[in-house]
Amino acid sequence: MPKESKVHDVIILGSGPAGLTAAIYTGRSSLNPLVIHGRQPGGQLTNTTEVDNFPGFSEGIDGPVLMAEMEKQAKRFGAEFLTAEVTAVRLGNSPMEVEVGKDIYQTRTVIVSTGASPRMLGLANEWDLYGKGVSVCATCDGFFYRDKEVVVVGGGDTAMEEATFLTRFAKKVHVIHRRNELRASLPLQERALKNDKMEFHWDTVVSAIHGDKQKGLSGITLKHLPTEKEEDFPCDGLFVAIGHVPNTDLFKDQLDMDERGYLLTRNGAETNIPGVFAAGDVQDAVFRQAITAAGSGCMAAILAERYLESLEG
Ligand code: NAP
């Protein structure tokens, strides 16, 4: 395998707000970070339209614009970017190794900011119809469902926010929840339950998705769990809002994680391997905000700088 002879000071995996903030800080400290974009350059904010709560933008800012600005800022300080997906990492080694297909990059520190991805239902057709009626992002796709019937799956805060947002466009929003009580926080529940464009289907799951790649989604099958009765349910849109899974498969057996796969960190961003730091949603199942991700990216960068200084003795 072609191995770069150069040993990088810092390689950053992922380019959401955590990774890009780490790139700005380590770049500004003349560490010439290499950022490997991963599957979704810019991270989850590239799925959003307006970001209203990132400090500094009094009128809000478009998610993709915010991420493009952060990348530009990181480049100004010398960060380099590689659009590729990492295929393997060897974190115990010295130097550590990051494999991208046939290429191997060597580095003294790694900042893991690979984020989290929406959890999917695991049904046949789900990916074939993704973007053709199946969505994970109401703010991105809601606009296309003006006067249509849509379904939102989930009973948490995300599902309530997505469903409420969709009532701005859709004729009717059906919420499908597997239990008979919501997990969402009280204010979001109350707002959703009194919205007369929303209809709740309790103790119910989506058991099949129908449609084809050409024509898109045509409907779903709903299964009422207590009676096991199934019914075909025509709809124009299916929004899956059942939580997220951290993108940590690459690090199994190397980095400590909790039972859900979130990386465990101490002291802000340290992992169990010296020189490896984690920031953003990959290690945060609780706050999951752009600003908290950016803050933890800053912590990871400062810890990486200190670690590199300690190597020089
Ligand atoms: P979540 O709280 O984990 O809720 C996931 C929902 O999906 C639950 O209702 C769960 O059902 C359901 N679910 C999970 N797997 C399922 C499956 N395979 N089939 C059917 N249903 C399934 O996730 P989230 O709503 O994305 O929220 C994540 C975190 O972000 C939370 O801490 C939340 O408070 C926070 N958040 C906050 C805001 C806000 O404050 N504005 C907005 C969005 C998110 P059960 O209830 O039966 O487990």
Side-chain angles (χ1 to χ4, degrees):
M1 282 196 180
K3 192 185 274 196
E4 263 194 329
S5 52
K6 171 177 177 177
V7 178
H8 294 267
D9 279 325
V10 188
I11 291 187
I12 298 169
L13 309 182
S15 58
L20 292 181
T21 303
I24 291 166
Y25 272 76
T26 51
R28 201 157 176 269
S29 300
S30 305
L31 294 174
N32 302 107
L34 172 66
V35 183
I36 304 180
H37 274 301
R39 200 177 310 148
Q40 190 176 10
Q44 291 180 64
L45 279 195
T46 56
N47 282 342
T48 343
T49 44
E50 192 155 295
V51 181
D52 244 352
N53 53 8
F54 200 88
F57 300 95
S58 58
E59 299 298 320
I61 183 166
D62 253 21
V65 174
L66 177 62
M67 299 322 295
E69 280 298 317
M70 282 193 201
E71 182 172 331
K72 235 159 83 186
Q73 193 175 359
K75 283 180 173 159
R76 178 157 73 88
F77 297 124
E80 284 175 43
F81 285 80
L82 182 67
T83 302
E85 271 195 59
V86 173
T87 42
V89 291
R90 282 174 287 279
L91 300 176
N93 294 12
S94 176
M96 296 188 264
E97 291 183 341
V98 175
E99 208 175 278
V100 178
K102 293 194 290 303
D103 301 322
I104 294 177
Y105 296 83
Q106 305 187 82
T107 183
R108 291 184 188 87
T109 67
V110 172
I111 295 177
V112 179
S113 45
T114 45
S117 299
R119 180 181 287 127
M120 299 301 282
L121 295 166
L123 294 170
N125 245 359
E126 187 170 41
W127 287 110
D128 288 345
L129 297 175
Y130 191 80
K132 300 186 175 81
V134 176
S135 170
V136 294
C137 178
T139 40
C140 321
D141 301 330
F143 181 77
F144 302 115
Y145 295 90
R146 198 171 285 282
D147 297 325
K148 309 256 183 196
E149 294 238 349
V150 301
V151 163
V152 174
V153 190
D157 282 341
T158 304
M160 292 314 105
E161 276 198 337
E162 302 260 296
T164 305
F165 179 79
L166 284 166
T167 59
R168 291 193 205 172
F169 309 97
K171 189 164 63 185
K172 186 106 202 167
V173 179
H174 298 268
V175 176
I176 313 299
H177 184 36
R178 62 184 178 182
R179 292 188 296 136
N180 64 3
E181 63 181 338
L182 295 170
R183 177 177 297 280
S185 58
L186 222 48
L188 292 188
Q189 280 197 32
E190 282 169 357
R191 191 177 60 175
L193 289 166
K194 68 174 188 227
N195 188 321
D196 55 17
K197 273 184 149 188
M198 272 160 75
E199 185 177 328
F200 286 79
H201 301 250
W202 305 106
D203 296 313
T204 300
V205 293
V206 178
S207 55
I209 300 175
H210 310 293
D212 60 54
K213 276 188 187 170
Q214 273 72 42
K215 296 198 192 113
L217 178 80
S218 58
I220 56 178
T221 302
L222 291 181
K223 184 177 180 181
H224 183 242
L225 293 173
T227 56
E228 298 208 342
K229 236 173 95 184
E230 291 196 305
E231 62 162 324
D232 278 343
F233 195 84
C235 61
D236 305 295
L238 171 65
F239 289 81
V240 181
I242 58 171
H244 289 79
V245 273
N247 298 318
T248 50
D249 282 353
L250 273 178
F251 314 106
K252 285 208 167 105
D253 303 322
Q254 299 189 65
L255 295 181
D256 290 345
M257 38 186 95
D258 70 11
E259 68 289 347
R260 296 164 301 173
Y262 285 91
L263 296 185
L264 297 176
T265 52
R266 300 171 302 220
N267 200 15
E270 287 172 3
T271 69
N272 55 304
I273 298 183
V276 180
F277 306 91
D281 286 12
V282 75
Q283 50 87 59
D284 169 23
V286 179
F287 301 107
R288 303 179 50 247
Q289 300 300 302
I291 188 66
T292 51
S296 71
C298 164
M299 292 192 264
I302 291 174
L303 291 169
E305 283 167 42
R306 289 189 187 153
Y307 174 81
L308 287 165
E309 278 165 20
S310 77
L311 291 183
E312 282 157 20

